[in-house]
């Protein structure tokens, strides 16, 4: 019954440094999504440039890479029904000033260049990002509940 749709969620270096790993995980858990992979990583510039390759021409690109490379990132895969779209709703708008209170960015950020978290924007990009950030052996498969009707 449960969908196996997956999304890549990252807590950016500012989120890790501000102690927001716990609160962000809690929001996804409480919504009913399932954590199937998690690690703290400092992947380096080359990897980050691959992750944000579609933004390479933007004027903020060098600053974005420097920011993302400034400390550990908490990389995660979350699973569940429509988790890609709903995960983006939980994160809020890219610019935190446009994010509704109650969203992660709407509660914890005011600067687009320090917006705490990343979430895949489509199922296809989620698949690409998961393949970029995780080995298949790092992803676990488990039943979160013994009851199929709890989701
Ligand atoms: P993300 O990939 O990080 O989840 O963000 P997004 O899809 O909501 O937004 P995107 O346009 O892909 O931008 C990626 C990240 O670049 C930084 N950014 N800075 N004007 C700026 O200075 C600017 N615009 C975007 C943000 O950190 C954004 O999350």
């Amino acid at each position: 019954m449960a969908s196996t749709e997956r999304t890549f969620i990252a807590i950016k270096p500012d989120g890790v440094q501000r102690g927001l790993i716990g609160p962000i995980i809690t929001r996804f858990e409480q919504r009913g999504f399932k954590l199937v992979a998690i690690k703290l990583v400092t992947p380096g510039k080359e990897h980050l440039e691959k992750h944000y390759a579609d933004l390479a021409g933007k004027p903020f690109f060098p600053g974005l890479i420097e920011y993302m490379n400034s400390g550990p990132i908490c990389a995660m895969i979350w699973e569940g029904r429509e988790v890609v779209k709903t995960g983006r709703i939980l994160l809020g708008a890219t610019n935190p000033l446009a994010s509704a209170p109650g969203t992660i960015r709407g509660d914890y950020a005011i600067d687009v260049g320090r917006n705490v978290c990343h979430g895949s924007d489509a199922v296809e990009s989620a698949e690409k990002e998961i393949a970029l950030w995780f080995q298949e052996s790092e992803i676990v498969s488990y039943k979160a509940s013994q009851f199929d009707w709890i989701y």
Side-chain angles (χ1 to χ4, degrees):
M1 155 182 168
S3 151
T4 52
E5 185 173 303
R6 288 171 172 175
T7 194
F8 173 66
I9 300 291
I11 304 175
K12 296 178 177 180
D14 54 333
V16 173
Q17 286 160 16
R18 292 172 59 193
L20 296 177
I21 294 176
I24 291 170
I25 286 179
T26 298
R27 288 173 188 233
F28 279 82
E29 283 185 328
Q30 289 182 337
R31 191 64 191 260
F33 294 122
K34 187 162 80 172
L35 183 62
V36 295
I38 182 168
K39 61 183 176 184
L40 274 180
V41 279
T42 46
K45 267 184 85 170
E46 205 175 305
H47 177 102
L48 294 165
E49 282 166 0
K50 265 191 213 154
H51 173 78
Y52 279 127
D54 56 331
L55 299 175
K58 301 279 183 190
F60 58 81
F61 185 73
L64 172 62
I65 299 301
E66 196 184 331
Y67 155 53
M68 291 295 290
N69 201 29
S70 65
I73 291 169
C74 181
M76 298 179 281
I77 303 172
W78 286 87
E79 196 174 278
R81 196 183 306 157
E82 295 196 27
V83 69
V84 172
K85 190 175 109 202
T86 312
R88 296 275 290 189
I89 295 169
L90 289 176
L91 298 192
T94 304
N95 182 350
L97 292 179
S99 299
T103 64
I104 292 163
R105 289 165 176 159
D107 286 347
Y108 294 120
I110 52 172
D111 189 329
V112 69
R114 296 288 183 274
N115 62 354
V116 172
C117 46
H118 160 82
S120 307
D121 62 4
V123 172
E124 307 78 67
S125 40
E127 284 166 5
K128 274 192 213 145
E129 291 173 2
I130 287 168
L132 176 65
W133 288 79
F134 285 94
Q135 306 288 324
E136 199 53 45
S137 60
E138 295 174 303
I139 306 172
V140 297
S141 170
Y142 65 103
K143 214 165 155 48
S145 163
Q146 62 178 308
F147 303 111
D148 280 346
W149 49 269
I150 294 178
Y151 185 72

